[in-house]
Amino acid sequence: MGYDEEALSSLIEALEIAEETFPQNHPELAKCYNNVGSLFDSMGEHTEAMGFFEKTLKINRNCDLQNHSHFIISYNNTANHHLEIGDYPKAVSTFEKAIEILTKNFPVTHPDFSTLYNNIGLTYSKMSEHEKALSYLRKSLEIAENSLGLDHPTTAVCHQNIGDVYIRMRQYSTALLHFEKSIDIQKKALYPSHPFMANSYSGLSFAYENIGEHSKALSISEKALRIRETSLPPNHPDLAHSYNRHAYACFKMGQYSEAIFYQEKGLAIVNKNLDRNDFDLTSLYKFVAHLYEKIGEYTKALSFYEKQLEICIETLPENHPDLTTLYKKLASLCSKMGEYSNAVFFHENSFAIYIKTLRPTMCELATTYKSIGEVYCNMGKYSKAVFFYDKANEIFEETLARKDSNLTTSYSNIDWMYDNMDEYWKAFQSHEYGLGIYQKTLPLSHSYLVSSDNNVAAVCPNMGEYSKVLYYLEKILGILKVSMPPTHPHNKICKALIEEVKKDLKYVTFFHSVCDDD
């Protein structure tokens, strides 16, 4: 039920009675030690657990119980302990010792073989050796079906574990089949709100999620959640996992408010179980932050990204790529909030890691320069913005093809800066450069050429180049005649502008509506 402290109190009391009642090498005393150790292991108290498992094994050895099932259980639980602490090779070798004893005393169809093969399979799955995992899990399933029956709960667990491995292998359709078999068996063998049912529903939901069946995933995830809500205590870790899983299902359906509701319920439980290592807090904080960002709650989003950053700074090397990604996210969010100084600070942190870990010609570095330039632009610090845009363009020139339209986009940012700095000749040159790239990469009738010609025309009067205005307006009209019907308003407006410019070369109101609409 998840009430670990209450369970431990009862088990300790039972152990004290056993110690007073039985001799030091009695099997019942070994059983008590084993039960206490198993509970400590599940609570994450692995050092305490190992002490009790060693006492269990010592009693069983001294009693010469190698032919007894208790001895096999001791090895199994000790192996599970090694599995819990991540010592996978030790876990496998210990499981194999149990199999060796079992082989000497029982037929190969004994259900304990199913349990041990299952556990070895789970261990290999943890080691990402999925084919080995499946080999042992299939043996476990075959024995369970032959010795216990096709509709036994253990058989259902075997199908569920095989489904989990296929999930890890990203073979979601095959995983679906095993989860569905597991659920069919459990519906016959267990009561409807049994916690085991929730495990299979959760796996099935995840599989549907990954094949794009988001509506089914949400419906099944809700079934898993309702079972755990009715069968588990309010702060049980499995319930937290269910809230987190259901939040993600809601998110994929675009139900952001519901996703936040369930994710925060999950986080509340996680924060009460911080001594456990089965929660990835950084991923949880990142997801909540992303949800708040989706609904425009930027302040709350920022607070969760900062929590994620605190953990990453503590746990990752100072130049880890994940820190770079997080700094860029924080910078972007601060820009949306108008906190430009903070945005520059985070961009510079990201930039510092790039300098240390990447070649200066890489596009990621150019993107960082460009992002810093955008922030300085928003702050009205145009000289600094141009400096970073220029550095970005130097790298783009080296890494992108000369005809790449990304170069045009990058240069257009500088055009706008020079316009605002009243450096019109530089703006004109940059506009013409970007226009040249568009002319090489786009059809002559493309609307981007209209906008680009318009931008070049717009800067000409500021340099006193009124005759060039007419040249570019006539180019625009030529494109419009090809790309739009004769009755389109833009044609009429452009013709009128041309006539006005012909009458008065000092005409300075231009064809901005074309750029805006297109």
Side-chain angles (χ1 to χ4, degrees):
M1 295 172 65
Y3 292 110
D4 292 340
E5 294 299 332
E6 290 83 347
L8 182 61
S9 175
S10 294
L11 288 175
I12 292 293
E13 190 173 349
L15 175 60
E16 289 172 352
I17 295 170
E19 286 177 329
E20 293 175 0
T21 306
F22 300 110
Q24 290 184 349
N25 291 330
H26 198 281
E28 287 299 322
L29 187 57
K31 188 189 298 183
C32 289
Y33 284 132
N34 181 74
N35 291 341
V36 175
S38 296
L39 182 55
F40 271 125
D41 223 22
S42 70
M43 294 169 68
E45 300 285 347
H46 302 304
T47 303
E48 290 283 345
M50 195 60 205
F52 284 98
F53 288 141
E54 287 172 348
K55 289 181 179 180
T56 303
L57 281 171
K58 183 179 178 181
I59 293 173
N60 286 337
R61 287 194 189 102
N62 291 337
C63 290
D64 192 26
L65 290 175
Q66 297 215 12
N67 297 336
H68 199 286
S69 61
H70 285 301
F71 200 69
I72 296 166
I73 292 170
S74 296
Y75 270 118
N76 182 65
N77 289 340
T78 304
N80 278 326
H81 163 77
H82 293 305
L83 178 60
E84 285 287 332
I85 64 174
D87 190 349
Y88 303 132
K90 187 72 172 176
V92 170
S93 65
T94 310
F95 283 130
E96 287 174 343
K97 285 181 182 177
I99 288 176
E100 185 181 336
I101 297 167
L102 194 63
T103 303
K104 293 177 181 177
N105 298 280
F106 295 96
V108 293
T109 56
H110 193 282
D112 284 354
F113 278 105
S114 177
T115 301
L116 292 168
Y117 284 137
N118 176 77
N119 292 345
I120 293 176
L122 294 178
T123 307
Y124 277 121
S125 177
K126 292 276 189 182
M127 298 165 71
S128 296
E129 295 191 30
H130 302 311
E131 292 299 337
K132 281 188 178 180
L134 286 175
S135 174
Y136 281 98
L137 290 172
R138 288 181 185 126
K139 285 183 183 178
S140 173
L141 174 61
E142 183 181 354
I143 295 169
E145 287 179 335
N146 291 331
S147 63
L148 300 172
L150 296 176
D151 294 331
H152 194 276
T154 300
T155 305
V157 172
C158 291
H159 279 296
Q160 180 185 308
N161 291 338
I162 292 173
D164 286 335
V165 175
Y166 278 116
I167 287 286
R168 288 172 176 262
M169 297 171 71
R170 299 185 179 180
Q171 296 184 21
Y172 303 114
S173 298
T174 308
L176 278 173
L177 297 176
H178 286 281
F179 286 131
E180 286 170 346
K181 285 181 181 178
S182 178
I183 290 169
D184 288 342
I185 295 168
Q186 289 173 11
K187 283 180 177 178
K188 299 173 186 175
L190 304 174
Y191 58 92
S193 61
H194 196 286
F196 285 172
M197 293 283 288
N199 297 338
S200 293
Y201 278 131
S202 183
L204 185 63
S205 172
F206 188 79
Y208 273 122
E209 197 73 75
N210 281 279
I211 63 172
E213 296 273 3
H214 302 308
S215 180
K216 284 185 178 179
L218 179 64
S219 172
I220 295 167
S221 171
E222 188 167 9
K223 288 182 180 180
L225 176 58
R226 298 309 167 217
I227 290 172
R228 284 176 173 160
E229 281 183 327
T230 57
S231 63
L232 298 175
N235 291 324
H236 196 284
D238 285 351
L239 186 55
H241 284 299
S242 220
Y243 281 130
N244 298 336
R245 168 97 275 287
H246 194 60
Y248 184 74
C250 290
F251 164 73
K252 296 299 287 186
M253 289 291 291
Q255 300 176 7
Y256 302 129
S257 297
E258 291 87 344
I260 289 172
F261 172 77
Y262 287 111
Q263 189 64 60
E264 289 194 333
K265 293 189 80 167
L267 265 179
I269 299 173
V270 171
N271 288 328
K272 293 178 181 178
N273 290 275
L274 288 179
D275 57 327
R276 300 180 64 91
N277 61 4
D278 52 354
F279 292 106
D280 182 359
L281 269 177
T282 56
S283 295
L284 292 177
Y285 286 143
K286 177 183 177 181
F287 182 49
V288 178
H290 183 63
L291 288 172
Y292 276 119
E293 192 174 358
K294 278 285 188 182
I295 63 172
E297 294 272 2
Y298 296 140
T299 303
K300 288 184 177 179
L302 183 63
S303 70
F304 281 101
Y305 279 130
E306 286 173 339
K307 288 180 180 180
Q308 181 192 0
L309 179 63
E310 286 176 15
I311 297 173
C312 288
I313 289 174
E314 290 177 5
T315 58
L316 297 177
E318 61 179 9
N319 293 328
H320 196 280
D322 285 356
L323 279 172
T324 305
T325 304
L326 185 51
Y327 282 134
K328 288 171 70 175
K329 170 53 70 176
L330 284 161
S332 173
L333 187 57
C334 287
S335 291
K336 289 180 182 178
M337 299 170 68
E339 297 184 5
Y340 299 122
S341 297
N342 286 336
V344 170
F345 170 77
F346 288 122
H347 272 310
E348 287 176 344
N349 276 292
S350 174
F351 172 78
I353 297 175
Y354 269 131
I355 287 293
K356 293 177 182 178
T357 58
L358 297 174
R359 291 184 295 110
T361 55
M362 292 191 69
C363 284
E364 291 89 348
L365 183 56
T367 303
T368 302
Y369 282 130
K370 182 171 174 285
S371 298
I372 296 174
E374 288 171 355
V375 176
Y376 277 122
C377 173
N378 289 327
M379 296 170 73
K381 297 184 178 181
Y382 301 126
S383 296
K384 284 191 174 182
V386 168
F387 171 79
F388 283 101
Y389 280 134
D390 277 339
K391 291 187 77 67
N393 286 344
E394 287 174 12
I395 298 173
F396 282 139
E397 287 277 4
E398 293 180 16
T399 57
L400 298 178
R402 290 278 178 175
K403 296 181 179 181
D404 197 309
S405 60
N406 284 319
L407 274 172
T408 310
T409 305
S410 186
Y411 275 104
S412 68
N413 293 320
I414 296 180
D415 305 341
W416 194 82
M417 294 299 97
Y418 282 133
D419 282 340
N420 281 278
M421 294 165 66
D422 296 334
E423 296 192 24
Y424 301 118
W425 176 245
K426 289 183 178 180
F428 176 77
Q429 288 179 311
S430 188
H431 278 311
E432 278 207 322
Y433 188 90
L435 175 59
I437 296 173
Y438 272 146
Q439 287 173 335
K440 294 175 184 177
T441 58
L442 299 174
L444 293 178
S445 60
H446 200 287
S447 61
Y448 280 8
L449 288 172
V450 175
S451 300
S452 196
D453 279 319
N454 182 69
N455 290 337
V456 180
V459 77
C460 290
N462 295 317
M463 301 186 298
E465 297 283 349
Y466 301 112
S467 61
K468 288 187 177 181
V469 177
L470 183 61
Y471 169 75
Y472 284 106
L473 284 176
E474 287 176 340
K475 284 185 66 178
I476 291 171
L477 181 60
I479 296 171
L480 292 176
K481 285 180 178 179
V482 175
S483 61
M484 294 183 178
T487 56
H488 196 284
H490 288 169
N491 284 286
K492 184 177 180 181
I493 294 170
C494 190
K495 288 177 182 178
L497 285 171
I498 289 172
E499 292 304 315
E500 289 294 328
V501 173
K502 284 180 178 178
K503 291 177 183 178
D504 185 1
L505 290 178
K506 292 185 179 180
Y507 187 84
V508 293
T509 304
F510 298 99
F511 194 36
H512 292 297
S513 61
V514 176
C515 183
D516 293 338
D517 289 349
D518 286 319

